[in-house]
Amino acid sequence: MLERRKFTFLGIALATLYWFVESVIHRFVYAEEFFEVVPSDVNELLMRLLIIVLIISFGVFADNRARKVKESEKEKHEVFIATVRSTQHILNNLLNQLQLAFFDLEKEHCLESETRKLLEKSIREGKEQVERLSAVSDISSKSIEESVRPR
């Protein structure tokens, strides 16, 4: 609860601090006779209330905005995970079919040694890249690019 409304609570704390600092300023800077926590002048009271409402309202606004940003980030994360899983499924099917074709060609002795090695390496690297992409936990463009970079 505190984490969800931290800016609102901060706004309330700042508004309360403002109210008492304003009272101190009126007592010592403007040399008013009495220390008034609640000002007797209606105009002064309304001005303080307006400022306090604005400070607290900004805290509420900031909390709502932060919540929306977090929800958006969570949604982006879920979309990324779904995309990676779908991509992994498609690429695994493709790599498996490629490996099956490789075995058929190898059975017929249609591949040269160097071509066979290149095909084996490509299949292995493809599988490794898909696995590394699936393991990305820090979803940023840098970490995603690093996960699929050949090693």
Side-chain angles (χ1 to χ4, degrees):
M1 170 74 179
L2 181 63
E3 182 64 30
R4 280 185 37 213
R5 294 286 171 201
K6 69 180 176 187
F7 293 115
T8 301
F9 291 131
L10 180 62
I12 291 169
L14 286 174
T16 304
L17 178 66
Y18 164 77
W19 188 280
F20 285 106
V21 167
E22 187 72 17
S23 295
V24 168
I25 289 172
H26 275 271
R27 170 67 178 102
F28 295 107
V29 174
Y30 297 127
E32 292 182 355
E33 290 183 35
F34 303 105
F35 182 77
E36 295 180 323
V37 175
V38 179
S40 56
D41 180 24
V42 175
N43 184 43
E44 180 65 27
L45 178 65
L46 291 176
M47 289 303 292
R48 285 191 198 183
L49 287 174
L50 175 65
I51 292 171
I52 284 184
V53 166
L54 289 174
I55 292 171
I56 294 172
S57 296
F58 183 75
V60 171
F61 168 78
D63 279 329
N64 288 331
R65 187 76 181 121
R67 181 183 47 78
K68 287 178 183 177
V69 167
K70 282 182 183 178
E71 288 172 0
S72 174
E73 289 299 317
K74 183 180 177 187
E75 184 179 342
K76 286 178 187 178
H77 184 270
E78 290 170 355
V79 167
F80 172 76
I81 295 299
T83 303
V84 167
R85 286 185 180 150
S86 299
T87 302
Q88 183 180 23
H89 178 72
I90 292 166
L91 288 175
N92 278 336
N93 285 342
L94 178 65
L95 289 169
N96 288 336
Q97 291 169 359
L98 188 59
Q99 204 163 22
L100 185 61
F102 171 73
F103 289 140
D104 285 346
L105 288 171
E106 201 172 47
K107 229 189 289 183
E108 300 295 323
H109 304 290
C110 295
L111 293 176
E112 294 179 18
S113 175
E114 196 166 309
T115 306
R116 183 179 51 75
K117 287 178 184 176
L118 183 62
L119 193 54
E120 284 175 338
K121 181 183 175 193
S122 297
I123 291 170
R124 186 178 60 252
E125 285 178 357
K127 285 184 177 183
E128 288 171 358
Q129 286 177 327
V130 169
E131 287 173 6
R132 286 195 310 265
L133 182 60
S134 300
V136 169
S137 58
D138 172 33
I139 300 176
S140 66
S141 59
K142 183 179 178 185
S143 63
I144 293 168
E145 288 171 4
E146 286 177 3
S147 74
V148 294
R149 216 175 259 137
R151 294 185 178 178

